[in-house]
Amino acid sequence: MGAFIAKMLLPTVSSLVFLPTASVAAKRGFHMEAMVYFFTMFFIAIYHACDGPGLSILCFMRYDILEYFSVYGTALSMWVTLIALGDFDEPQRSSITMFGVLTIAVRIYQDRWGYGIYSGPIGSAVFIITVKWLQKMKQLKAIYPEKSVYTQQVGPGCCFGALALMLRFYFQEWDYAYVHSFYHLSLAVSFVLLLPKKNRYAGTGQKAFKLSWCTLCCCVC
């Protein structure tokens, strides 16, 4: 019985891997991304907790609302991570990010379980980033960004992201608790790998803005 309960709680516990992801993002100066990761972790954890035995007291919203925000948070996390990787200047960065925030909300309201909820944001972000990077390469007449970005961020990050999506859509029926938990882990690792090492808009030294836990927690209130 204990093993069965532990297995039921595994998807809830595994969603906590997004907490260190949010912490890493905050330390790198990506405060908006950190808030999105924390938002995602919160709603995924509560959503899965409502499936667990004896945890219905945690369901402070209707089940379908928790389901919506868990999927929305995941898709939005993918979007903001890829846009951060693109390293856009302002106001392009804010405009592109908000475009994703609005369109993803509408798309997921129409369908929460189709391939398009993730392939749409990923495909759009990859297209936008590719256009920007090709323009930069044409201007500089050299590879952009530097090779280390492709070998240390883009390559490994995309591999873990692809693994996460394969687990989510093709292998989840094998053993839901374990496969879905590994899906959470792979997704969190891909976010950490794809996120740039430093946000150039966050400031440096004493002028660097610090993200407090109070501010972070406000994103789910």
Side-chain angles (χ1 to χ4, degrees):
M1 185 64 180
F4 173 76
I5 294 176
K7 188 175 179 179
M8 288 288 291
L9 294 177
L10 193 56
T12 303
V13 175
S14 66
S15 65
L16 298 180
V17 297
F18 291 103
L19 189 58
T21 304
S23 177
V24 169
K27 288 182 179 179
R28 294 180 182 178
F30 291 95
H31 303 132
M32 178 190 67
E33 290 78 4
M35 295 181 73
V36 172
Y37 299 150
F38 188 81
F39 175 93
T40 303
M41 179 212 69
F42 179 82
F43 280 101
I44 289 179
I46 299 300
Y47 168 65
H48 286 301
C50 289
D51 286 330
L55 294 178
S56 59
I57 191 175
L58 296 177
C59 302
F60 64 98
M61 291 183 178
R62 292 202 320 267
Y63 187 79
D64 62 320
I65 296 177
L66 294 173
E67 179 184 75
Y68 174 87
F69 281 115
S70 65
V71 177
Y72 176 69
T74 303
L76 188 57
S77 295
M78 296 176 181
W79 177 259
V80 298
T81 302
L82 289 171
I83 298 306
L85 174 66
D87 194 28
F88 293 91
D89 295 322
E90 293 290 357
Q92 274 187 319
R93 181 172 177 267
S94 299
S95 301
I96 294 173
T97 301
M98 186 52 63
F99 172 78
V101 170
L102 299 176
T103 55
I104 291 171
V106 175
R107 179 65 182 86
I108 293 177
Y109 185 81
Q110 294 176 325
D111 178 17
R112 300 178 194 177
W113 300 115
Y115 297 108
I117 58 174
Y118 300 139
S119 63
I122 293 172
S124 300
V126 169
F127 175 76
I128 293 171
I129 292 171
T130 301
V131 170
K132 186 217 170 177
W133 286 2
L134 287 176
Q135 289 176 340
K136 279 284 190 180
M137 289 180 189
K138 184 177 180 180
Q139 292 174 2
L140 300 173
K141 299 187 184 304
I143 188 170
Y144 179 89
E146 56 189 25
K147 291 183 179 179
S148 61
V149 174
Y150 292 98
T151 58
Q152 298 176 17
Q153 290 180 241
V154 177
C158 288
C159 287
F160 274 97
L163 174 61
L165 293 178
M166 288 177 61
L167 292 172
R168 167 68 176 78
F169 289 105
Y170 297 106
F171 299 105
Q172 199 159 254
E173 289 80 10
W174 286 11
D175 192 320
Y176 178 82
Y178 294 111
V179 173
H180 198 76
S181 297
F182 196 60
Y183 155 71
H184 288 161
L185 177 61
S186 300
L187 202 58
V189 171
S190 72
F191 293 157
V192 172
L193 290 171
L194 288 172
L195 205 63
K197 304 301 181 184
K198 185 67 178 177
N199 184 1
R200 57 193 173 100
Y201 293 105
T204 56
Q206 294 182 345
K207 293 183 179 180
F209 178 75
K210 303 296 183 181
L211 183 65
S212 66
W213 279 105
C214 180
T215 304
L216 192 60
C217 291
C218 286
C219 70
V220 296
C221 296

